[in-house]
Each structure stands twice: as structure tokens, then as C-alpha cells.
Amino acid sequence: MNIWLLFIILGIGNFLLRYSFVYLFGKVELTDTARRALRFVPPTVLLSLIMPAILRHQGQLDLTLDNPRFYAGLIAGLVAYKTKSVLFTLVVGMGLLYLLQNLL
Amino acid sequence: MQTNIKERMWAGVKAISPILLGVIPFAMIVGVFAVDAGLTQLEGIGMTAIVYAGASQLAAIQMLVERSALPVLILTVWVINLRFLLYSASLGEHFKDLSLGWKLLFSYLITDQGFAVSVVEFEENKEKPGKRYFYLGASLIMWLVFFLATGVGVLVGASVPASWNLDFAFPLSFMGLVVPTLKDRPAILAGLIAGTLTTLAVGIPYNLGLPISVLAGIGFGMLLEKLEQK
């Protein structure tokens, strides 16, 4: 598929999600059940992106010292929790990864 | 219109500024990733302009590299962005008197960050006029910063060696975003369930692991919430 066509399909979907209830305001309400469901989208999506990237190493689950990403990620997670800062988390996580890779 | 447009837009810019500090490295990573994955520089920034949802862009790029089936890639991106429905429903009330053109523009500009600062402002200053300009100021600067930082990313992207492990910045940059969403037990457990399932779902065909795990996590969270209320 042409890559631009793919972007446009993705973009149209994203736009419709954004425009949905701006357009429907006063016509259709988001039900309480839907609201309750959608509140879980950010934590489930983000942890689904974070956890495999840290826990999987060379294609499989790896919680040993051979996987420095696990330890760097764990500590970076604590930093994120304490500071809520994307920048700090990046600096600590990347720094630890280099350190661990060069030490181990 | 008595509202001081400039002043309200500027208030929006000021409110979102601290968040932009985190957006800059994140958007740069999106740009670096795009060219690393073999997209041209123009495709890299074009993706930001058209798709305009960073987390889902990173996921899409990764799936392009893994040569995932395109329908699954598309589904994954949309599932990641389901949260926009919630923002749309919340902002719809404030946008209801706008003309069609403004509604379309304002909708395109919806982001986690612009939404976050606007709902806080609208809640704290319910009667203050010029809400739309506050939102517009915050959202336009957000767009501009995201776009420019992606641009820097695609420019430097090709010169970043693989040994830098820049792909690790991808989960790291999400960590700062996920923390504020883990505000109660159902949300934390739903997130952990979804994350664990996605991690274990290596063998699921076509990379359907993420959308299925997310839906399972949502269902689990709703159930837990219901049980806790009793």
C-alpha cells in the first residue's frame, strides 16, 4: 500500500474519533457505560506499549541480568512515578541502559 | 466580542508550556524512529501532520518495521486513540456554538495535552469568556512544537547510530504519560493486566495482541470497578 494512503486512512480515523462528539453534541450523548470503559483506555494502552518493550528481550520474556532494559526500565518507572517528568525519565532510563550495557 | 483574544490565547500557551518540555523529546523520537524505519523525511513529518497522535505513530512505525498486516496496524492505531472519544465528548459542550470550520479545526487539534490543560481551566473559570481562544492558544502551540520537534527528529534521525538504543526511549517516554492515568486500583490493575497480556501474547497472529489485550484490560477494569462499588 502507498504509505501516504495509509497515513490518510489513519488520519481520517483519528479525526473521526476527535470530531465524533463535537459533532454529536446535543444529538447523542456518550453513555455512562461507554465513559466508564473509555477511562481505562490510557492506562491499558500505555502499559501495553511499555511492558513488552522492557520485559521482552530478543523476542522473548527475559527478567534476567542479560536484559538490562528490564532493570533500567524498572528504575526509570520509579523516576516517572516520583517526578511525573518525561524528560527526567528519559535521561535516567537511557543513562542506566548505557551504564548497565557497559558494565555487564 | 468583548473578550481579549490575544490575552486568552496567551493564557493557553502559558498553561501548556511546562507540558511541552516533555513533548519535545517525545516528538523528536517519533521523527528519529520514522527515518530509522525507512520512511523519508517528508513522510516522517507528513505522518505527524496527518495522523497527529504520537503514541499511535510510534506503534504504527514499529508495526511497519515488523511488517504487520495493515488492517491490524490500522486497528491498533485506532484502539490506541479511542481515548479521543472521551475528550471529544467533554470538549463538545464548550465548542457547541462554534461554526463548522472552527469545529473541524478544533477537533483536529485535540491532544492529551491540550485537553488536559483546557478542562482544568474550564473547570476553574467556568464563567470566564473566551474559552475557545484559550483552547486554540494551547492547541496551536502544541501542534507547532510537536511538528517542529518531529522535524528535528527526522533531520538528525539518520545520523543516530543503532548502538545508542534509541528505541528504548519509546517505552521510557510513555512512562511519564502513564503515571497520571494510574489514579485508582481498577485503573492500575486494568493497565497491568493489559500490559502483561500484550507481553505474553507473542504467538498471537498478525500482532493482534495489543488490541485484544487492551480490550481485555478495559473489561477487567470495569468489572473491578463494579465490584468495588458494592
Side-chain angles (χ1 to χ4, degrees), chain B residues 35 44 62 74 77 79-80 82-83 89 108 134 140 156 166 170 193 222:
Chain B
V35 289
Q62 201 172 37
I74 294 167
V77 165
V79 166
I80 291 174
L82 275 177
R83 65 192 191 285
Y108 164 73
F134 180 93
L140 278 180
V156 302
L166 219 59
F170 164 66
I193 294 263
M222 292 176 77

Side-chain angles (χ1 to χ4, degrees), chain A residues 1 3-4 6-23 25 30 33-56 59-61 68-70 72-74 76-78 80-82 84-87 89-94 97-98 101, chain B residues 22 25 29 39 42-43 46-47 50-53 64 70 74 77-86 88-89 92-93 95-96 100 103-104 107-108 110 163-169 171-179 181-182 184 186-187 190-192 194-196 198-200 202 210 214 217-218 221-222 225:
Chain A
M1 190 196 283
I3 195 89
W4 290 100
L6 177 66
F7 293 166
I8 289 169
I9 292 172
L10 296 175
I12 289 175
N14 285 351
F15 177 77
L16 291 178
L17 289 170
R18 288 170 157 129
Y19 184 52
S20 57
F21 288 96
V22 170
Y23 171 72
F25 184 82
L30 199 55
T33 312
R35 262 177 209 281
R36 286 183 41 227
L38 289 173
R39 144 180 129 78
F40 290 108
V41 171
T44 52
V45 163
L46 288 169
L47 283 177
S48 290
L49 295 171
I50 294 168
M51 288 172 65
I54 288 167
L55 300 176
R56 283 214 299 247
Q60 38 188 320
L61 194 65
R69 290 177 179 224
F70 175 56
L74 209 60
L78 286 175
Y81 178 71
K82 283 284 171 206
K84 296 194 176 86
S85 157
V86 175
L87 204 58
T89 310
L90 273 171
V91 170
V92 170
M94 293 308 287
L97 183 64
Y98 293 132
Q101 268 179 336
Chain B
I29 290 162
L39 299 186
L42 184 66
E43 287 164 353
M47 185 187 203
I50 298 171
V51 181
Y52 193 43
L64 279 175
L70 288 179
I74 294 167
V77 165
W78 290 345
V79 166
I80 291 174
N81 294 325
L82 275 177
R83 65 192 191 285
F84 292 149
L85 286 174
L86 203 58
S88 185
E93 187 194 340
F95 297 169
K96 63 174 187 276
L100 177 65
K103 275 185 183 168
L104 294 174
S107 297
Y108 164 73
I110 289 177
S163 65
W164 283 21
N165 284 303
L166 219 59
D167 58 313
F168 191 54
L172 290 176
S173 55
F174 290 146
M175 285 180 179
L177 302 180
V178 76
V179 169
T181 74
L182 301 174
D184 50 45
L192 287 176
T196 307
T198 313
T199 307
L200 297 176
V202 195
L210 187 138
V214 164
I218 292 172
M222 292 176 77
E225 196 177 51

